[in-house]
Amino acid sequence: MREQFEVAVIGGGQSGLAAAHALLREGLRPVVLEASGRPAGSWPRYYDSLTLFSPARYSALPGSPFGGDGDRYPHRDEVVHYLTRYADQLDVEIRTDTRVGTVEPDGPGFTLRTSDGRSIGAAGVVAATGAFARPLRPALPGAADFTGELLHAAGYRNPEPYAGKRIVVVGGGNSAVQIGHELAQSARVTLASRSPLRFLPQIREGRDLHHWLTTTGFDQLPPAWLAHFVDATLVLDDGRYQAALETGRLVRRPMFTALEGDEVVWADGTREQADAVLLATGYRPSLSCLEPLGALDADGAPLHSGGISLTRPGLVYLGLEFQRSFASNTLRGVGRDARHVISALAAHVRGAPAAAGF
């Protein structure tokens, strides 16, 4: 049996919920299709100690503040609860445990085929699977024969299994440093990164950095402008991380060249035994369901401008890294992007594609 909706939203995490909110404001009633068992995106699967890098007052989705102390940094579980509550308050149909297998062209619209055999028609599609659906595992020479544990940060939960062990964390971003610092309390840890770490103070003049990002408008700069301001991966630091490096509790070395047996081979030729190598190397969008539309490039990345498909009218994206700004794939930024792409999509669905910018 085929069902028909004005708009289908693929993904029920922060991006999909922001899309649903914006669609309702446009007078459109979407169906939201979420592959997992609850509308919270990737958040339930992150490591146990994860907290937001932005305070609660800057981290809410449109229409529903976090509440409580606006200067606190919400924990992972609080974010999950917040998203679940946000979904409950939306007057939209959210189908959990519903994975979209393919999105196919169907005249001017689309047909979505789900893993449970359903067929859903829609005039518009929002690909809101976000930027954290597919762990990025770079090719490492010798990885196939490494006898230690090799895992991605997506599979890390807490430091208990690694107490007393020798760990190498690959990466130089916020998550790599946060996980490395946590592990270093009970294990010997080296951070391996291609570039030196650059720390950005979390607090300036008594205010969190996000106050300044918001009040100066930096958060809204187009991605092309960011290159003028940011030439390396920056790590937000409340003072703990840089101090750990300076005292030797946490060590940073240039990226190793290979893995051999249970050892890492460093760039200077030295070898060091490692019980585990943890890849904090980021994520990539999971958009393979869109392949029948010809909407992706050879590497599976979406062909878009600011979240609006360049190849398929009626298709928009949300939650992509640097989609429209520095904050596009964050709780604090996705609502702004949602208003932009949903405004264009609404015009298209109502039959005015020229005004929509498609």
Side-chain angles (χ1 to χ4, degrees), residues 5 14 35 54 81 86 119 130 188 194 206 217 229 241 299 305 345:
F5 294 89
Q14 62 191 40
S54 56
H81 176 73
Y86 191 93
S119 177
R188 291 186 300 129
R194 300 195 182 282
F229 298 95
Y241 304 139
D299 296 320
S305 175
L345 180 59

Side-chain angles (χ1 to χ4, degrees), residues 8 39 46 67 108 117 130 165 191 201 214 221 232 240 244 260 270 297 307 309 328 333 346 349 352:
Y46 291 143
K165 294 187 177 182
L191 288 172
T214 301
L221 285 176
R240 292 176 296 164
E260 290 188 9
T270 59
D297 66 15
S309 175
S328 282
V349 170

Side-chain angles (χ1 to χ4, degrees), residues 30 46 65 69 77 113 145 173 185 204 211 214 219 229 236 248 292 306:
Y46 291 143
D69 180 5
D77 294 345
R113 303 194 187 281
D145 299 318
Q185 309 311 304
R204 289 178 179 270
H211 164 80
T214 301
D219 251 1
F229 298 95
L236 292 180

Side-chain angles (χ1 to χ4, degrees), residues 303-311 315-317 323 340-341 344 356-358:
L303 299 166
H304 74 101
S305 175
I308 298 174
S309 175
L310 294 173
T311 62
L315 171 65
V316 299
Y317 302 89
Q323 176 172 314
H340 172 76
V341 300
F358 284 100

Side-chain angles (χ1 to χ4, degrees), residues 53-347:
F53 298 106
S54 56
R57 73 173 73 253
Y58 301 108
S59 302
L61 293 177
S64 182
F66 260 94
D69 180 5
D71 292 324
R72 77 188 187 283
Y73 299 91
H75 178 264
R76 176 202 66 187
D77 294 345
E78 185 179 355
V79 176
V80 171
H81 176 73
Y82 169 80
L83 292 174
T84 304
R85 177 167 52 86
Y86 191 93
D88 289 341
Q89 293 172 347
L90 286 174
D91 184 22
V92 298
E93 182 177 358
I94 300 175
R95 298 182 182 179
T96 56
D97 297 311
T98 303
R99 182 176 299 278
V100 176
T102 61
V103 182
E104 303 166 3
D106 186 0
F110 306 87
T111 293
L112 294 80
R113 303 194 187 281
T114 63
S115 55
D116 60 1
R118 293 177 180 270
S119 177
I120 296 172
V125 168
V126 183
T129 54
F132 304 101
R134 182 162 54 98
L136 176 61
R137 294 180 171 87
L140 300 175
D145 299 318
F146 180 58
T147 58
E149 182 182 3
L150 180 62
L151 74 157
H152 191 275
Y156 170 77
R157 290 297 173 267
N158 60 65
E160 283 188 23
Y162 304 98
K165 294 187 177 182
R166 177 76 181 89
I167 315 297
V168 176
V169 177
V170 177
N174 284 309
S175 293
V177 174
Q178 191 178 76
I179 291 172
H181 181 267
E182 177 177 75
L183 287 167
Q185 309 311 304
S186 59
R188 291 186 300 129
V189 180
T190 298
L191 288 172
S193 61
R194 300 195 182 282
S195 303
L197 303 182
R198 293 188 58 183
F199 294 100
L200 197 61
Q202 184 85 50
I203 305 296
R204 289 178 179 270
E205 299 181 22
R207 292 181 177 270
D208 183 89
L209 174 67
H210 292 86
H211 164 80
W212 304 111
L213 293 177
T214 301
T215 57
T216 62
F218 184 90
D219 251 1
Q220 300 185 48
L221 285 176
W225 278 80
L226 295 176
H228 296 288
F229 298 95
V230 181
D231 59 359
T233 300
L234 301 177
V235 178
L236 292 180
D237 187 15
D238 60 6
R240 292 176 296 164
Y241 304 139
Q242 190 164 6
L245 285 170
E246 291 172 349
T247 60
R249 176 176 286 276
L250 190 60
V251 177
R252 183 263 161 189
R253 298 188 65 170
M255 184 61 189
F256 55 80
T257 58
L259 297 171
E260 290 188 9
D262 67 345
E263 297 179 324
V264 295
V265 182
W266 296 104
D268 61 5
T270 59
R271 296 168 177 265
E272 192 171 7
Q273 184 270 339
D275 296 297
V277 173
L278 189 152
L279 305 175
T281 46
Y283 298 79
R284 291 291 182 268
S286 180
L287 296 167
S288 60
C289 65
L290 303 180
E291 288 178 357
L293 299 177
L296 311 175
D297 66 15
D299 296 320
L303 299 166
H304 74 101
S305 175
I308 298 174
S309 175
L310 294 173
T311 62
R312 180 70 194 188
L315 171 65
V316 299
Y317 302 89
L318 266 180
L320 301 176
E321 187 175 23
F322 300 128
Q323 176 172 314
R324 296 185 66 242
S325 74
F326 178 72
S328 282
N329 63 339
T330 67
L331 276 165
R332 72 181 188 279
V334 71
R336 188 166 55 241
D337 282 9
R339 288 191 295 272
H340 172 76
V341 300
I342 297 305
S343 175
L345 180 59

